[in-house]
Amino acid sequence: MPTSGHGQPVLGTMNGTWILDKRRGSSMRGYLETMGVTELAIEAHEKGESDHDTINIIEFNDEYFKIKKISRVTDLGLELRLGQEFRQTLPGDRVKTVLATSDSPGKSVKIVSRMPTMNGIATVVDTKTLQREENILVLIQTLVIKNERNGKEHTTVRYFIPHHGEVAAPAVTAKGPTGKPVRSR
């Protein structure tokens, strides 16, 4: 195992391809319910996630965090400049804001989003951190969503492990065969 000059294990970085470890972690059900997603859509999401892999491809440095999420449910890209709020105007003049920060670029990131949902505005705190478990790095994602209208809050924890090899074709979603990357400016 690589070590620092002080004999401590080197953790590595998030850069690379990660696959959802379906054997552990939380379901997205509570998160989706807090957003006001319909039961039918939640069931479709659960089936899609159980039948197909969820992949995150991450590039992360001192200036930006870039992620491409590939799954049966969605295929999207997001590039955020650390410390700079990104604003996106959605249909109906609704606004989504996203801010990514990191105390340890490449090893942890906190992404705070405020967005319209089916039942009001939600604040989502998406924290991604690396953790070594024996001889493998694990990417732990903690999603905390709070519905600002009714105060309902839910925490979801998901685990991703390194993925080597081919990445499946992009999902066919309501947006078509591939989502378009969203970039901060």
Side-chain angles (χ1 to χ4, degrees):
M1 177 183 310
T3 60
S4 68
H6 299 79
Q8 298 296 316
V10 174
L11 191 54
T13 71
M14 285 184 198
N15 290 310
T17 304
W18 301 86
I19 188 167
L20 179 65
D21 184 347
K22 297 178 191 178
R23 296 171 297 155
R24 61 187 202 170
S26 311
S27 159
M28 290 295 290
R29 175 173 282 279
Y31 177 91
L32 296 170
E33 288 172 344
T34 303
M35 286 185 77
V37 174
T38 66
E39 180 63 26
L40 185 60
I42 292 171
E43 289 173 8
H45 180 277
E46 290 174 334
K47 179 166 178 25
E49 198 161 77
S50 70
D51 292 350
H52 302 277
D53 288 328
T54 298
I55 304 275
N56 287 341
I57 302 170
I58 296 174
E59 292 179 39
F60 191 6
N61 65 29
D62 292 344
E63 296 179 25
Y64 69 89
F65 177 79
K66 182 178 179 181
I67 186 167
K68 181 171 177 124
K69 301 175 185 180
I70 302 168
S71 72
R72 176 64 183 100
V73 178
T74 190
D75 176 30
L76 62 92
L78 181 65
E79 185 173 333
L80 300 168
R81 186 166 297 283
L82 295 176
Q84 182 177 341
E85 184 177 85
F86 169 68
R87 293 178 60 84
Q88 179 181 16
T89 302
L90 303 171
D93 290 327
R94 300 174 306 148
V95 175
K96 175 181 178 178
T97 60
V98 183
L99 176 66
T101 58
S102 178
D103 292 333
S104 184
K107 297 181 169 115
S108 68
V109 66
K110 179 179 179 181
I111 303 167
V112 179
S113 304
R114 188 168 185 270
M115 68 185 110
T117 67
M118 300 297 288
N119 59 0
I121 301 293
T123 299
V124 177
V125 179
D126 178 355
T127 305
K128 293 175 175 41
T129 57
L130 286 180
Q131 178 176 306
R132 183 167 298 283
E133 294 181 356
E134 297 179 18
N135 290 331
I136 189 169
L137 280 178
V138 177
L139 176 76
I140 302 171
Q141 177 186 37
T142 304
L143 291 164
V144 179
I145 184 170
K146 182 172 185 178
N147 181 307
E148 294 180 12
R149 181 183 294 162
N150 62 23
K152 184 176 178 183
E153 185 173 305
H154 184 79
T155 299
T156 301
V157 179
R158 294 158 52 98
Y159 297 84
F160 291 81
I161 55 176
H163 176 71
H164 305 285
E166 296 295 317
V167 174
V172 176
T173 68
K175 295 183 204 173
T178 183
K180 294 186 176 159
V182 177
R183 298 180 188 267
S184 64
R185 295 175 196 211

